[in-house]
Amino acid sequence: MAIQFAIVGSGAFGLATALHLTKLGYNDIVCFDKETVPSPVAAANDSNKVVDWLCHEINDQISSADRVAAEAMEMWQKDEFYNRFYHQRGMVVSASKTESLAVLEKHANIHKIHEFLETPADFRRHIPVLDGPLENWKGYVMEPEDGWVHSRDCIKALANLLERRNVKFVSGDDGDITKVVEKDGAVGYLESVSGKRYKAANYIVCAGAGVTRIIDLEDQVQSRCWSVAHIKVSEEEASQFNGLPLLMNLNEGYYFEPDENDTVKVVWEFPGFVNFESDHVSVPDYTVPANSAPGETQIRRFLRNALPSLADRPFESRKLCWCAMTADRQLLICRHPHLANLTVASGDSYISFRLTPVIGQYIAAVAIKGNQGLNIQDRKTWEWRPGLKFTDKPIDLPR
Ligand SMILES: Cc1cc2nc3c(=O)[nH]c(=O)nc-3n(C[C@H](O)[C@H](O)[C@H](O)COP(=O)(O)OP(=O)(O)OC[C@H]3O[C@@H](n4cnc5c(N)ncnc54)[C@H](O)[C@@H]3O)c2cc1C
């Protein structure tokens, strides 16, 4: 088959890109993935993801991250396709350590957010289910438009739509891409686990955390994962959470209101686990069982402080959720400097599902026109930028 665009990874970025290419009238698009949508290893395969206005520093002009988040928010609110996955709730962001509080305060000032929460009673006025001591918590009430989106339903709907638009999906060992093979300064073909080779006019790698196993990104991206737990609650308990603002504590964790199965998702907030197989490249290992990684104690500690009635409940399940971090937490969307027909779309940095409704147009622009397809600010922010050092302290994933 003649492939015009070969997209590696059918997660949030890959599907959004394929959709945008179909909107522009392109045909012969093939999405390769090790799994069928929703891939069990896709970060996007989840019941809920925060959508909010990102809080990056604004100097004389709005940052690319904030602008794109705002564009996406508008789509979640107004677009017929995306709106059904969006649940507007508002959000409370808190911290229990002085340095994180200072960060919060700075962001609150930039975004002109003035409702400061100082006591447990202040928090409970907004989120009555928070019946724990909330020791040392201070926080802010963020934008009322903030909320969550059902990411798994969204990517399933995207894949269905793409199938109706004749986008082809290749999955399993045939879709599990092991390498991009160079020929004359460009990608000659992709090779899969099954040994199949695929030639295309243009290649786009959107493999989430899996990117570090496929191409050498010169240490710009670390694959990292986080501990996520699920707790079943009764129907009556679930009804008490419904409609309340989201709650995030920058030093402890966050939870989401119960999903359609009355399951609460709780995440331990920390810089993540890394898995270095060589001196410098952290790659995903999707086979490591979630129970072998730390997280349970920290998740239960967070619950004891915020929602003690859930703190000793059994976990219905646990998982490790992988994504692709950059040192500055900005995206990496650019042409590969040494492989002319390869577009890299990576660096989601744990915060980019929210961009799904618009990210495809930027990735497609680079795939079609090269880096010139982006405006100068986005090009500078998302460019190939080796040499940036990671300054936070992730934990080695125990093996
Ligand atoms: C714990 C956690 C919580 C998060 N919470 C939020 C949140 O609240 N809000 C938010 O906006 N974002 C959140 N994110 C981030 C969000 O999920 C990601 O930014 C988003 O899913 C990135 O999309 P992606 O397409 O790059 O990667 P993914 O969605 O991970 O998709 C990557 C795809 O590539 C495939 N793949 C991997 N390797 C290969 C290979 N070798 N060959 C073929 N296919 C391959 C995978 O199967 C997968 O389908 C969170 C992430 C984590 C880990």
Side-chain angles (χ1 to χ4, degrees):
M1 79 187 130
I3 304 177
Q4 195 167 14
F5 290 94
I7 300 177
V8 181
S10 306
F13 284 16
L15 297 170
T17 304
L19 181 61
H20 198 73
L21 289 168
T22 64
K23 284 183 181 167
L24 294 175
Y26 288 100
N27 298 306
D28 304 318
I29 302 162
V30 182
C31 292
F32 296 91
D33 201 294
K34 54 207 290 123
E35 308 277 351
T36 52
V37 179
S39 163
V41 302
N45 184 358
D46 202 346
S47 48
N48 29 40
K49 298 285 188 199
V50 176
V51 287
D52 64 356
W53 311 91
L54 290 186
C55 289
H56 287 274
E57 188 103 31
I58 299 171
N59 297 317
D60 52 342
Q61 59 174 339
I62 186 169
S63 67
S64 294
D66 276 346
R67 196 199 71 245
V68 177
E71 289 168 5
M73 182 61 104
E74 188 158 342
M75 292 286 280
W76 291 116
Q77 290 176 324
K78 297 189 184 151
D79 182 82
E80 203 185 327
F81 177 83
Y82 286 107
N83 180 256
R84 61 196 144 138
F85 309 111
Y86 165 65
H87 302 263
Q88 181 177 348
R89 295 289 184 262
M91 180 154 73
V92 168
V93 181
S94 62
S96 21
K97 291 190 180 158
T98 321
E99 61 278 14
S100 308
L101 268 174
V103 172
L104 257 188
E105 195 178 306
K106 198 163 142 197
H107 290 164
N109 286 337
I110 290 168
H111 284 253
K112 302 192 172 48
I113 291 162
H114 298 303
E115 190 167 356
F116 182 56
L117 307 177
E118 215 164 350
T119 66
D122 289 345
F123 281 92
R124 283 195 265 279
R125 224 178 35 253
H126 293 274
I127 310 181
V129 292
L130 291 176
D131 55 354
L134 308 180
E135 222 168 291
N136 301 323
W137 281 30
K138 307 263 186 268
Y140 286 92
V141 178
M142 308 303 271
E143 314 278 353
E145 294 87 352
D146 294 346
W148 60 272
V149 290
H150 201 304
S151 53
R152 184 182 311 116
D153 283 357
C154 179
I155 58 170
K156 279 162 63 179
L158 277 169
N160 287 337
L161 177 60
L162 289 169
E163 262 168 350
R164 291 200 298 278
R165 293 186 178 196
N166 292 323
V167 171
K168 306 265 178 315
F169 286 86
V170 177
S171 58
D173 286 353
D174 287 348
D176 189 348
I177 302 302
T178 50
K179 54 185 169 195
V180 296
V181 179
E182 192 262 342
K183 186 166 187 265
D184 302 331
V187 177
Y189 59 89
L190 301 173
E191 191 168 304
S192 72
V193 165
S194 62
K196 288 220 166 115
R197 293 176 175 188
Y198 304 98
K199 282 186 187 209
N202 304 282
Y203 301 84
I204 307 172
V205 175
C206 302
V211 66
T212 49
R213 287 202 180 272
I214 306 173
I215 38 184
D216 178 3
L217 292 175
E218 300 180 355
D219 300 348
Q220 295 173 92
V221 167
Q222 285 183 350
S223 301
R224 293 192 190 179
C225 65
W226 277 261
S227 259
V228 180
H230 300 99
I231 298 173
K232 186 91 178 161
V233 296
S234 69
E235 226 172 283
E236 194 192 327
E237 286 170 320
S239 67
Q240 292 167 0
F241 283 86
N242 287 339
L244 295 177
L246 275 65
L247 187 272
M248 146 84 74
N249 182 292
L250 297 181
N251 307 113
E252 298 181 27
Y254 57 99
Y255 71 86
F256 284 86
E257 70 182 60
D259 65 11
E260 64 277 18
N261 302 313
D262 296 333
T263 299
V264 177
K265 179 179 103 179
V266 195
V267 185
W268 169 30
E269 183 66 10
F270 75 117
F273 295 112
V274 277
N275 177 49
F276 284 99
E277 275 189 4
S278 72
D279 276 0
H280 55 105
V281 188
S282 173
V283 292
D285 183 343
Y286 302 122
T287 65
V288 175
N291 287 341
S292 70
E296 174 159 1
T297 309
Q298 292 82 349
I299 286 172
R300 293 199 185 283
R301 189 185 304 140
F302 162 62
L303 289 172
R304 221 156 267 131
N305 206 8
L307 298 164
S309 59
L310 300 188
D312 296 312
R313 301 267 176 105
F315 291 160
E316 190 181 46
S317 61
R318 270 187 72 190
K319 75 173 199 176
L320 292 173
C321 183
W322 288 88
C323 69
M325 292 292 289
T326 53
D328 57 7
R329 297 196 81 186
Q330 302 293 337
L331 297 164
L332 180 68
I333 301 179
C334 57
R335 283 292 179 91
H336 191 284
H338 313 303
L339 298 167
N341 54 356
L342 173 61
T343 297
V344 176
S346 180
D348 72 275
S349 297
Y350 184 56
I351 48 172
S352 299
F353 187 83
R354 70 198 76 199
L355 306 181
T356 302
V358 295
I359 198 67
Q361 79 195 51
Y362 295 100
I363 301 171
V366 174
I368 295 163
K369 298 184 188 153
N371 295 338
Q372 299 303 323
L374 298 177
N375 74 35
I376 188 157
Q377 184 193 32
D378 296 348
R379 203 183 315 146
K380 283 295 313 155
T381 311
W382 303 337
E383 70 186 356
W384 191 264
R385 47 189 192 281
L388 283 187
K389 295 274 173 267
F390 287 83
T391 53
D392 59 352
K393 297 203 166 38
I395 300 173
D396 283 324
L397 185 64
R399 310 305 302 275

